[in-house]
Amino acid sequence: MPVKIRKFITGIALTASSLLLSGCLTDDLFTSAPPPIPPVPVAQVTVPPPKPDTPPLYCKIGRGSALFGRDWYDFQDVEFTLHRGEPSNVNLTRVRHTQQMTVQALFDGKCQKIIFCPFLNVGQDQRISCSSLYALEDDLQDGIKRTFDIPAAERGGFITCAYAPEHLKPLGTPAN
């Protein structure tokens, strides 16, 4: 082994041993793995409670198509109210028909994200593609309007949300 490499390895060994002796390194650095995190029962997982002074969020979805059974059909505009931290079911009804499909919505506890997921009967280990809508508190005071799509559930629609129903924007093209 060349002299330079031996000096380098010796220097590293001396530095590590002096740090260990000085107490700068702990024995935790030399353990094989951190202790496992105990599993939490599903019953203990909760959504943070809503603030009592938080107004409800009024929303309207429309002008899109939804997956009713195996085919895509236009759905009727639907208005709904969300309360912070409380999941809610939103029923989309097919135009000129009584067929419905359900989407679950959740206005998160921090008031910056609204999550929409198709209501599917799937196993615990299966994933569901959801969609998120982000908005600042001030934007929701004035009302927002966005395009709206949920993978494998809804497409080509629009959504408007506001803290007051009179601030909901008209549905239609983005220029409206």
Side-chain angles (χ1 to χ4, degrees), residues 40-74:
V40 178
V42 173
Q44 291 180 5
V45 177
T46 59
V47 176
K51 294 180 182 177
D53 60 342
T54 303
L57 184 65
Y58 299 93
C59 295
K60 185 175 184 178
I61 300 173
R63 311 281 192 230
S65 303
L67 186 59
F68 293 96
R70 295 182 183 187
D71 294 315
W72 293 89
Y73 298 98
D74 291 344

Side-chain angles (χ1 to χ4, degrees), residues 11-121:
I12 290 175
L14 288 173
T15 303
S17 62
S18 66
L19 286 173
L20 209 113
L21 292 174
S22 70
C24 291
L25 294 177
T26 63
D27 291 338
D28 294 340
L29 294 175
F30 298 102
T31 59
S32 61
I37 298 172
V40 178
V42 173
Q44 291 180 5
V45 177
T46 59
V47 176
K51 294 180 182 177
D53 60 342
T54 303
L57 184 65
Y58 299 93
C59 295
K60 185 175 184 178
I61 300 173
R63 311 281 192 230
S65 303
L67 186 59
F68 293 96
R70 295 182 183 187
D71 294 315
W72 293 89
Y73 298 98
D74 291 344
F75 62 88
Q76 299 172 16
D77 295 355
V78 61
E79 292 186 25
F80 56 97
T81 304
L82 296 173
H83 297 275
R84 189 181 305 193
E86 295 179 20
S88 180
N89 288 342
V90 178
N91 292 317
L92 302 179
T93 304
R94 190 173 145 186
V95 172
R96 294 183 293 282
H97 204 277
T98 58
Q99 191 174 13
Q100 290 189 330
M101 66 99 61
T102 303
V103 173
Q104 290 183 327
L106 175 67
F107 185 35
D108 84 342
K110 295 178 183 163
C111 285
Q112 289 195 333
K113 180 171 53 173
I114 309 166
I115 303 167
F116 294 93
C117 300
F119 188 80
L120 301 173
N121 205 2

